[in-house]
Amino acid sequence: MGKTVFEKSSSGRRAFTLPPNDCPLEGLKQLITRKGPVGLPEIGEQDLVRHYIELAGKNYHIDKGMYPLGSCTMKYNPLINEELAGLGGFTGLHPDQDVGDVQGALELMHGLERALSEICGMGAFTLQPAAGAHGEFTGMLIARDYFLGRGEKRKVIVVPDSAHGTNPASVAICGFTPKTIQSNELGLIDPAILEKEVDGETAVLMLTLPNTLGLFEREIAEVVRIVHDAGALVYMDGANMNALLGIVRPGDIGIDIMHVNLHKTFSTPHGGGGPGSGPVGVNAELADFLPIPRVIKEDTGYILSCDSDKTVGRIHSYFGNFNVLVKAYAYIQTLGARGLKQVAMDSILNANYLMNRLEGTYSLKYPGPCMHEFVLSARNLKKNGVRTSDVAKRLLDYGLHAPTVYFPLIVEEALMIEPVETESRETLDAFAEVMERIAQEAKESPELLTEAPRHTPVRRLDEAAASRNPDLQWRPEEK
Ligand SMILES: *Cc1c(COP(=O)(O)O)cnc(C)c1O
């Protein structure tokens, strides 16, 4: 393993030259003089550059290889969108600028809201939530205020066991009580079960579509009818809209509130904790509940309106993560209706291709066809003493990123694979070959898996100790 930058430090080396200080220090000295050295590494500029280039080379990212992380849509995001978001006219804006000076930015936001409303068949959108989970939170606030306004005390939110993990969490944060319902043997919501669980206490059915098994709810029309008949709302977690673009408009099937993830479906790279965006769409009847300020188009131009007594209020400073909105708008405008539909078709085709190729080698609890992803199980390898985590670690030895593992919880030893729409057939084949080889290794020499990874900068980490006992302190004296 390479040395840390502290270990490369050599006294007196510098990566910078500053002009001599010409500011009189008298009087200040007392205030600004340090008690001792800060302990920063001392290193020359070239060695510093090499150090970070070497580290960057060890990083794994979507521009290096396939990233089949289920539910995350780790796809190629066209670089042109980054260029556009980086234009000075956008990056130089100040959110407190006069509305008259930022008409272009408001037009873009208004256009994106209209485009998302059209794509999803919803009445209106807010662009403010900063992430998918933040969108869920906003959606739950809207549902809460809607029922408060009607004087109805509905406390329960029904969440299928195939929903994304953030769903029950958002429900709880907003003071609702999540109630789990079990999927049937096809991995889908069973209308008969749902009918028994939904009543006058139910505020919302919160479903993930496609669900976390990568399946479309075939009974969705009946599901929506049952919920609406009980006077409740249907919330759709649309973080994986890349499976539905141009094929299904949630509003058309009766969804009342939903969110999308711009940093998944609409071209913002993610995974490193950078800014995201989880716009929320509502049916026309709920539009007044959306957060303020809202961008409104008037004859004289665009204005920001806080004029609503039903609004859930502000949920983000200013307007959300604006530069993510620019990328999404550019992506939608470049692809157009036909291109967006192709995105969904390709994501479905790629997932089904890979699923069909791998379903004999690993077990598949819920048969397809799938949408954008599918969930395999490494259950059949257990007899060799091998688990899903071993398969995941062995993939690293082959220079590949592992799929999402141990989720959803309803599949034992789960491997949740989303190949995404931008991967070529050659890349999918190469991934499948490695997965097949690993299954073979599990039978012939399982230690290759249980001792993996062998070829990464660090070998297998004790993950439990790292999270229970984090040691985040740098102690220079111990080097
Ligand atoms: C990613 C994802 C979320 C959460 O989105 P964040 O932006 O990470 O908060 C919620 N639901 C589904 C289905 C997802 O795939």
Side-chain angles (χ1 to χ4, degrees):
M1 201 181 142
K3 288 181 172 177
T4 67
V5 69
F6 288 93
E7 287 159 341
K8 290 178 183 170
S9 174
S10 176
S11 177
R13 295 208 177 137
R14 290 287 179 275
F16 62 86
T17 346
L18 291 179
N21 180 26
D22 58 358
C23 169
L25 290 180
E26 288 321 310
L28 275 179
K29 233 172 192 156
Q30 207 72 28
L31 281 176
I32 60 169
T33 314
R34 278 191 213 99
K35 304 269 180 306
V38 230
L40 292 178
E42 298 178 66
I43 187 165
E45 185 168 339
Q46 183 171 44
D47 289 333
L48 185 64
V49 170
R50 284 186 185 152
H51 178 74
Y52 284 106
I53 291 288
E54 189 193 319
L55 281 183
K58 287 180 177 151
N59 199 8
Y60 193 85
H61 46 91
I62 190 65
D63 294 334
K64 197 167 184 173
M66 186 183 172
Y67 219 120
L69 210 49
S71 201
C72 293
T73 316
M74 302 299 285
K75 66 181 177 183
Y76 175 71
N77 295 297
L79 290 177
I80 182 78
N81 300 336
E82 294 293 328
E83 293 257 329
L84 295 172
L87 288 175
F90 292 129
T91 56
L93 288 174
H94 191 283
D96 275 333
Q97 238 167 296
D98 198 87
V99 168
D101 295 342
V102 293
Q103 286 293 304
L106 297 181
E107 183 180 346
L108 184 143
M109 288 195 283
H110 190 262
L112 181 58
E113 283 179 13
R114 293 315 313 148
L116 291 175
S117 301
E118 173 65 26
I119 290 167
C120 298
M122 303 305 285
F125 257 87
T126 173
L127 306 174
Q128 289 189 33
H134 195 194
E136 294 165 21
F137 173 78
T138 307
M140 290 303 104
L141 291 183
I142 292 172
R144 189 194 63 184
D145 286 4
Y146 169 76
F147 287 114
L148 273 177
R150 295 167 62 93
E152 292 185 49
K153 289 200 184 62
R154 293 174 178 252
K155 280 278 155 212
V156 176
I157 296 200
V158 174
V159 187
D161 58 4
S162 60
H164 194 265
T166 47
N167 293 185
S170 303
V171 166
I173 285 180
C174 290
F176 286 111
T177 310
K179 182 194 223 177
T180 309
I181 52 162
Q182 276 181 357
S183 311
N184 64 15
E185 67 291 346
L186 296 172
L188 301 171
I189 300 175
D190 190 328
I193 296 179
L194 181 71
E195 192 128 40
K196 286 200 202 93
E197 300 294 339
V198 169
D199 55 26
E201 293 265 280
T202 312
V204 179
L205 166 71
M206 189 174 197
L207 55 85
T208 301
L209 194 70
N211 69 21
T212 56
L213 296 164
L215 302 175
F216 190 80
E217 296 291 349
R218 289 185 218 165
E219 303 283 352
I220 190 70
E222 181 63 0
V223 164
V224 169
R225 185 197 62 75
I226 291 169
V227 176
H228 283 166
D229 280 357
L233 300 171
V234 185
Y235 183 98
M236 177 182 133
D237 178 338
N240 298 129
M241 265 304 281
N242 62 325
L244 304 180
L245 294 171
I247 302 175
V248 177
R249 300 199 320 156
D252 295 346
I253 52 176
I255 303 299
D256 301 296
I257 315 175
M258 67 174 296
H259 79 267
V260 295
N261 276 30
L262 299 187
H263 56 287
K264 275 181 187 171
T265 309
F266 296 99
S267 181
T268 275
H270 64 114
S277 178
V280 169
V282 291
N283 66 32
E285 200 193 331
L286 295 172
D288 288 343
F289 291 93
L290 289 176
I292 47 165
R294 295 191 58 201
V295 183
I296 309 283
K297 187 177 182 185
E298 296 203 326
D299 291 344
T300 46
Y302 295 91
I303 59 155
L304 288 167
S305 165
C306 293
D307 203 16
S308 163
D309 44 1
K310 286 190 181 160
T311 175
V312 297
R314 284 178 192 270
I315 50 112
H316 195 286
S317 52
Y318 298 109
F319 320 108
N321 286 324
F322 179 72
N323 106 326
V324 180
L325 310 182
V326 178
K327 288 182 242 184
Y329 188 69
Y331 184 72
I332 291 169
Q333 292 294 338
T334 337
L335 289 181
R338 219 188 298 162
L340 289 174
K341 182 169 185 182
Q342 195 65 47
V343 165
M345 306 285 265
D346 289 348
S347 98
I348 294 169
L349 181 65
N350 278 358
N352 280 284
Y353 177 74
L354 206 52
M355 183 184 74
N356 276 290
R357 170 133 183 205
L358 288 174
E359 70 175 313
T361 313
Y362 295 84
S363 57
L364 181 69
K365 184 170 170 192
Y366 299 103
C370 63
M371 298 294 284
H372 63 301
E373 69 188 359
F374 56 99
V375 183
L376 295 175
S377 163
R379 193 167 56 109
N380 56 327
L381 305 184
K382 263 184 154 176
K383 54 182 182 296
N384 308 302
V386 165
R387 303 193 58 210
T388 281
S389 52
D390 302 316
V391 175
K393 301 284 183 204
R394 186 65 178 149
L395 274 166
L396 307 182
D397 274 340
Y398 286 103
L400 284 163
H401 198 283
T404 298
V405 292
Y406 297 109
F407 193 84
L409 304 174
I410 47 180
V411 175
E412 181 193 356
E413 297 294 320
L415 284 154
M416 185 200 213
I417 300 174
E418 180 179 7
V420 306
E421 55 270 22
T422 51
E423 296 298 348
S424 67
R425 179 169 171 184
E426 288 78 2
T427 305
L428 301 183
D429 284 337
F431 175 75
E433 265 159 43
V434 171
M435 287 293 284
E436 284 157 1
R437 191 180 317 168
I438 290 174
Q440 194 63 27
E441 285 175 352
K443 287 181 203 138
E444 291 162 3
S445 27
E447 71 287 352
L448 283 177
L449 279 75
T450 51
E451 288 168 18
R454 294 160 176 245
H455 309 306
T456 45
V458 288
R459 301 278 307 262
R460 194 173 285 219
L461 298 169
D462 183 344
E463 288 154 7
S467 68
R468 288 198 191 127
N469 233 338
D471 179 0
L472 305 174
Q473 194 146 30
W474 161 248
R475 298 182 200 81
E477 69 278 7
E478 281 175 19
K479 75 176 172 188

